[in-house]
Amino acid sequence: MARKKAEEKLNLESVLFKCRDILRQARNSGSFFEKRDMMLTLVFLRFMGEKFEDGIENLRQTLIDQGLNPDDEEIWNAFFNDPTFTDGTYNLPVEARWTTIINTPAPQLNVALDTALKALGDSDKQLKGCFVEGTFTTRNLEPKDIKMLVDEINKISHKQFGEEKDLIGRVYEYFLKEFAVNATKEEGEYYTPHDVVQLIAAMIEPFDGTLYDPCCGSGGMFIQSAEIVKAKQGDISRINVYGQEKEPATLRLAKMNLVLRGISHHLGEIADSTFTNDQNKGLYFDYIMANPPFNLKGWYDANLSDDPRWAEYGTPPESNANYAWILHILSHLQALYGVGGFLLANGALGDSDTVEIRKKLIEKDKVEAIIILPRELFITTDISVTLWILNQNKKGGAYHGRMLRDRTHEILFMDLRTWTENPVKGESKKKVLLTSEQIGKAAEIYHTWQNEGTDGTHYEVPELYRSVSISEIEKQNWSLVPSKYIRFIDHDLEIDFPAEMKRIQAEMKAVMQQEKESQTMLLEAFRGIGYGID
């Protein structure tokens, strides 16, 4: 019974909580970033090692099925000394295998871990730059502390936890919440929750081709998209991902995340600003998904004044990067059919200093849908944000097995702020979750609006969505605030006042009668003890 209870309590959060406490109490464990790097690197080594062990076991079984004895010396030398795996599993150097690490004596663990990282970096160019040289020997944790940490990580098995969407992302998210309570998006410490990523992916359907994220963080957008591709097509090699990240530590996490999932990626040579050093200049993508820093300041550089990304639309305000992100994303979309879905703070919908840029975006038919999301969906902010969808082809045609109609000069507005019935417990600021049913409903509204046979001039449900013509948007001075277009119903007008007043009258009469009876009982009680109240 005690063993069963212990097994029930074993979950990712409990293991990470214990690791957090070990690192907090350990001498010389470093800053939040160094603690996080150590933790994520250990998780990565654990999962890579376990996948290797699974690969060896699968190879053994394949040989047995073919009538060969895997324990025969010649067979072993032929197949296992330098194994080849067909599913993307890495053939790990001996030094980098988890079996080597877990069996290393505590006093040698720091050196063994850095040796493992160097061996990995030397063995594959995709792993180059994933790790900080001397991650463990620089910190040089006490033998008992590093041993406790490795033993805790050993409890994390991908058989139990690894099938959950984006594991490295989940660990990153946990450390963001538990260690960096004051972190902001501007500092690069931000994580897009799974449900929000799933909503974007469900809308734009990045099933094949190229996918780009100009501020890719720990790679969550790519991981979620790959999961959807696998669910739909079963082959993640159908999608090729490109990205860029400004923070070096976060870029390393993204590379680890993608390598762990076997996803081919191109994240640039270095960590740097997408605005001042666009490492994907000249490339155009089928899909773009992004969650840029909200209302980012300090993005502008004098060299950007004549940048070709805003040549047709005007230079974005220096005070805020929202429209710089919009124009950057647009500049990288395939000219004939590219689709982008990204999040921005709600202020971008109607900023007075961006009216002219917004007007041109609308007139050139680049904006397809504006979806305002519920508050409290995120971990480090409780603001409501907007999902923008840009589409280079609103003229219709075949798309993912659907026939799309001509949506020229139409924009779909949706307001999901009332979708708050699914509470999240135990989080700092994220209190609302979008369920798969809600995500499916939102995508269905959008896709139905796109499809042939839909009348865009009469496509609406009051207080939820509405298709709007460019002429109506012009009358609102090119504002994209959904509440200016989605009809609100005054529910007070639906009340039957005579009937409601009769109900209130009856309730008040009953209350007054009860109060009268109580007064009578109180007077009689005082009279009964000889103290009448007259």
Side-chain angles (χ1 to χ4, degrees):
M1 183 67 110
R3 177 180 289 182
K4 185 177 180 184
K5 191 172 182 182
E7 287 174 356
E8 286 173 355
K9 287 186 176 179
L10 181 61
N11 56 55
L12 186 60
E13 280 70 26
S14 66
V15 172
L16 294 175
F17 182 87
K18 182 70 181 293
C19 291
R20 182 193 68 175
D21 274 0
I22 292 168
L23 286 171
R24 278 180 170 172
Q25 295 173 35
R27 182 179 63 82
N28 199 35
S29 59
S31 67
F32 154 70
F33 301 101
E34 287 161 326
K35 290 182 176 78
R36 185 198 62 189
D37 271 2
M38 283 193 287
M39 275 297 306
L40 286 160
T41 303
L42 283 171
V43 170
F44 177 78
L45 287 170
R46 167 63 173 147
F47 271 62
M48 289 287 282
E50 195 175 28
K51 287 184 77 172
F52 173 80
E53 291 160 19
D54 287 349
I56 292 293
E57 188 54 42
N58 292 337
L59 183 54
R60 283 181 61 88
Q61 191 56 51
T62 300
L63 292 172
I64 291 170
D65 293 344
Q66 293 174 356
L68 299 172
N69 177 11
D71 296 319
D72 179 84
E73 187 176 352
E74 289 187 10
I75 297 294
W76 182 270
N77 290 335
F79 289 95
F80 293 96
N81 279 349
D82 188 18
T84 300
F85 305 103
T86 58
D87 62 354
T89 299
Y90 275 81
N91 174 18
L92 298 180
V94 174
E95 305 93 321
R97 296 173 189 175
W98 188 254
T99 49
T100 302
I101 293 166
I102 196 66
N103 290 311
T104 298
Q108 281 88 54
L109 259 177
N110 285 311
V111 172
L113 287 165
D114 277 343
T115 301
L117 298 181
K118 186 176 187 310
L120 279 175
D122 291 343
S123 67
D124 194 290
K125 65 178 182 180
Q126 287 238 70
L127 295 170
K128 207 80 175 171
C130 280
F131 318 110
V132 177
E133 190 173 338
T135 293
F136 295 95
T137 50
T138 301
R139 298 263 53 86
N140 198 30
L141 294 184
E142 295 285 346
K144 65 177 180 60
D145 293 328
I146 189 65
K147 178 62 175 169
M148 282 195 294
L149 205 56
V150 168
D151 286 346
E152 279 301 312
I153 295 299
N154 192 52
K155 296 175 183 176
I156 304 178
S157 164
H158 79 76
K159 295 179 178 70
Q160 184 170 357
F161 304 123
E163 300 308 315
E164 296 183 16
K165 306 180 181 78
D166 168 13
L167 186 99
I168 290 281
R170 281 199 62 200
V171 178
Y172 174 59
E173 180 180 23
Y174 179 88
F175 273 77
L176 174 59
K177 290 185 293 183
E178 298 300 326
F179 280 89
V181 292
N182 296 318
T184 65
K185 185 72 194 287
E186 285 81 357
E187 294 167 339
E189 293 309 305
Y190 198 72
Y191 185 77
T192 311
H194 303 303
D195 52 338
V196 179
V197 180
Q198 288 172 330
L199 175 65
I200 301 173
M203 290 285 190
I204 71 171
E205 303 176 305
F207 295 159
D208 49 27
T210 53
L211 172 63
Y212 172 59
D213 183 346
C215 43
C216 67
S218 65
M221 293 283 185
F222 302 136
I223 302 300
Q224 291 299 297
S225 298
E227 291 297 325
I228 290 174
V229 171
K230 284 166 71 176
K232 295 280 185 181
Q233 316 278 6
D235 182 8
I236 61 173
S237 66
R238 294 172 66 97
I239 191 161
N240 204 358
V241 303
Y242 292 76
Q244 186 162 337
E245 173 55 42
K246 186 178 180 181
E247 300 297 325
T250 311
L251 180 60
R252 290 195 299 274
L253 305 187
K255 289 183 176 181
M256 281 193 275
N257 214 351
L258 296 169
V259 167
L260 187 61
R261 293 291 183 173
I263 299 171
S264 176
H265 56 278
H266 314 271
L267 303 186
E269 295 298 319
I270 58 172
D272 207 345
S273 165
T274 302
F275 295 127
T276 55
N277 182 16
D278 181 5
Q279 297 180 66
N280 293 283
K281 191 178 293 185
L283 297 180
Y284 303 95
F285 304 102
D286 302 313
Y287 312 99
I288 297 178
M289 294 173 63
N291 178 17
F294 302 145
N295 302 316
L296 180 68
K297 297 172 176 56
W299 69 277
Y300 188 77
D301 182 287
N303 294 325
L304 295 173
S305 59
D306 297 318
D307 195 284
R309 285 172 286 190
W310 18 94
E312 294 181 53
Y313 297 90
T315 305
E318 296 180 25
S319 58
N320 187 309
N322 289 339
Y323 274 75
W325 287 115
I326 295 173
L327 297 181
H328 173 81
I329 288 168
L330 182 60
S331 75
H332 278 291
L333 281 177
Q334 285 280 9
L336 298 178
Y337 48 80
V339 184
F342 54 92
L343 302 172
L344 288 177
N346 289 349
L349 298 170
D351 284 341
S352 58
D353 57 352
T354 55
V355 172
E356 287 305 311
I357 300 177
R358 192 162 52 250
K359 173 185 175 182
K360 289 175 184 174
L361 286 167
I362 296 167
E363 287 180 329
K364 291 174 180 286
D365 252 327
K366 302 303 180 183
V367 182
E368 173 153 82
I370 296 291
I371 301 105
I372 196 164
L373 304 183
R375 297 176 68 91
E376 301 176 327
L377 275 176
F378 295 84
I379 293 156
T380 55
T381 180
D382 58 3
I383 67 171
S384 170
V385 301
T386 303
L387 167 57
W388 290 58
I389 298 179
L390 303 184
N391 199 331
Q392 295 278 45
N393 177 19
K394 292 171 66 177
K395 294 187 180 300
Y399 186 80
H400 292 322
R402 297 184 287 125
M403 285 303 296
L404 308 189
R405 66 186 182 86
D406 187 345
R407 288 105 54 219
T408 301
H409 296 329
E410 291 179 30
I411 295 177
L412 177 66
F413 290 90
M414 296 173 63
D415 190 337
L416 308 183
R417 284 177 295 180
T418 60
W419 289 15
T420 57
E421 63 267 32
N422 303 301
V424 173
K425 295 180 180 178
E427 303 283 4
S428 52
K429 289 190 178 180
K430 181 175 172 65
K431 296 183 176 67
V432 175
L433 175 76
L434 291 176
T435 66
S436 56
E437 291 77 15
Q438 288 175 319
I439 291 168
K441 181 180 178 182
E444 182 182 15
I445 291 168
Y446 171 53
H447 295 156
T448 301
W449 172 78
Q450 289 182 313
N451 289 345
E452 277 189 351
T454 297
D455 179 4
T457 59
H458 298 95
Y459 189 74
E460 72 169 312
V461 166
E463 301 182 344
L464 183 56
Y465 64 84
R466 182 168 171 241
S467 177
V468 178
S469 69
I470 190 174
S471 58
E472 186 173 347
I473 295 170
E474 182 178 8
K475 291 174 185 175
Q476 293 289 349
N477 194 30
W478 309 102
S479 171
L480 291 174
V481 176
S483 60
K484 291 182 179 290
Y485 307 104
I486 297 174
R487 284 199 300 137
F488 173 79
I489 297 173
D490 188 347
H491 294 282
D492 289 343
L493 298 177
E494 299 172 352
I495 297 173
D496 184 339
F497 279 99
E500 186 64 13
M501 288 306 296
K502 280 186 178 181
R503 182 188 66 78
I504 295 171
Q505 186 181 34
E507 287 181 0
M508 287 302 298
K509 187 175 180 180
V511 170
M512 292 172 72
Q513 180 62 35
Q514 189 176 16
E515 185 179 349
K516 188 175 180 181
E517 291 172 0
S518 297
Q519 284 182 339
T520 301
M521 289 173 64
L522 188 61
L523 289 169
E524 289 176 354
F526 270 87
R527 287 193 193 102
I529 59 174
Y531 293 93
I533 301 174
D534 296 317

